[in-house]
């Protein structure tokens, strides 16, 4: 994928990851591109892994939320990379698992699936829209994660990313706004700014 496909948020995220944190927190407003950047990095890490067979979990509050957001974005990212389903990877749409040639997997499931929350293990965890997920659930996911955790959220109120993670020395934060997303149209920018003036 050409550099033109990345925003500054992606490069700030990649730089933070390269410093080996345990937690990366990514607060960002509407259309800041934070979720898309995270999924880009998680996908691009797959060929770099020195442990083929690693598992990445992408978790959101409900399955419909995942399907409307992260799942669709991930499919677009993989397609934009020129990967073909059945060759470089396979997409099990019933189980929501992407499997790649080196044995790595990206698994998507919802936080309301308690069996998967408590029963699954992983190397990397991405909690999407963390402000909508209870601390008990997030904690169960994190203690079953070997390497690192990313959480993104809209900064509307304080929750466990602030109260439970922020004081940890292994914590890094990347703040983004719509101004970081150069793929927005002028009409989208005007709508966002109009909404800010009314708030």
């Amino acid at each position: 994928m050409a550099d033109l496909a990345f925003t500054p948020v992606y490069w700030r995220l990649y730089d933070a990851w390269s410093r080996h944190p345990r937690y990366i927190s990514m607060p960002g407003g509407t259309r800041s591109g934070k979720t898309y950047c995270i999924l880009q990095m998680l996908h691009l890490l797959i060929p770099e892994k020195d442990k083929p067979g690693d598992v990445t979990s992408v978790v959101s509050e409900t399955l419909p939320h995942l399907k409307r957001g992260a799942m669709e974005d991930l499919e677009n990212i993989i397609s934009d990379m020129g990967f073909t389903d059945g060759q470089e990877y396979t997409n099990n749409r019933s189980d929501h698992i992407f499997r790649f040639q080196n044995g790595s997997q990206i698994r998507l499931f919802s936080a309301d699936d308690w069996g998967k929350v408590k029963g699954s293990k992983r190397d990397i965890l991405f909690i999407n829209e963390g402000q909508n997920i209870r601390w008990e659930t997030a904690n169960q996911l994190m203690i079953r994660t070997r390497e690192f955790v990313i959480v993104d959220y809209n900064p509307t109120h304080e929750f466990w990313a602030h109260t439970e993670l922020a004081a940890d020395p292994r914590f890094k934060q990347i703040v983004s706004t719509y101004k970081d997303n150069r793929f927005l149209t002028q009409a989208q920018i005007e709508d966002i700014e109009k909404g800010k003036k009314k708030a």
Side-chain angles (χ1 to χ4, degrees), residues 17 25 29 50 74 102 116 173 194:
W17 168 80
S25 168
D50 57 2
L74 186 58
N102 70 345
K116 288 185 178 177
Q173 179 168 279
K194 182 170 65 176

Side-chain angles (χ1 to χ4, degrees), residues 6-123:
F6 300 109
T7 69
V9 179
Y10 171 86
W11 294 113
R12 296 207 299 270
L13 171 60
Y14 192 87
D15 179 67
W17 168 80
S18 69
R19 298 171 191 270
H20 308 291
R22 171 61 176 173
Y23 309 106
I24 299 177
S25 168
M26 294 191 65
T30 300
R31 305 302 298 168
S32 69
K34 59 189 181 298
T35 301
Y36 199 88
C37 291
I38 292 168
L39 293 168
Q40 280 182 315
M41 192 189 80
L42 294 179
H43 176 251
L44 291 169
L45 285 180
I46 287 168
E48 296 182 9
K49 289 184 179 298
D50 57 2
K51 302 190 301 294
D54 279 6
V55 173
T56 297
S57 293
V58 178
V59 183
S60 192
E61 54 182 314
T62 64
L63 192 57
H65 185 270
L66 268 176
K67 287 181 176 179
R68 290 193 307 268
M71 200 173 297
E72 183 176 323
D73 284 345
L74 186 58
E75 288 180 348
N76 289 336
I77 289 165
I78 293 172
S79 176
D80 288 346
M81 286 288 293
F83 282 29
T84 302
D85 191 356
Q87 294 181 23
E88 292 88 357
Y89 79 105
T90 59
N91 180 4
N92 184 324
R93 287 179 169 80
S94 58
D95 291 332
H96 316 298
I97 299 174
F98 293 80
R99 291 185 172 88
F100 298 88
Q101 284 183 329
N102 70 345
S104 296
Q105 300 178 23
I106 298 179
R107 299 178 176 178
L108 299 95
F109 61 90
S110 60
D112 56 9
D113 188 337
W114 194 240
K116 288 185 178 177
V117 168
K118 291 201 72 173
S120 59
K121 298 176 184 177
R122 67 201 56 83
D123 299 281

Side-chain angles (χ1 to χ4, degrees), residues 170-188:
R170 303 168 297 168
F171 174 91
K172 292 192 177 297
Q173 179 168 279
I174 301 165
V175 179
S176 59
T177 74
Y178 72 95
K179 293 180 180 179
D180 294 300
N181 187 351
R182 58 189 178 78
F183 296 105
L184 294 178
T185 65
Q186 185 58 36
Q188 287 176 302

Side-chain angles (χ1 to χ4, degrees), residues 138-152:
N139 190 44
Q140 290 294 327
L141 290 163
M142 288 189 282
I143 62 178
R144 291 168 172 79
T145 301
R146 286 180 281 269
E147 295 179 14
F148 72 97
V149 176
I150 305 177
V151 54
D152 74 357

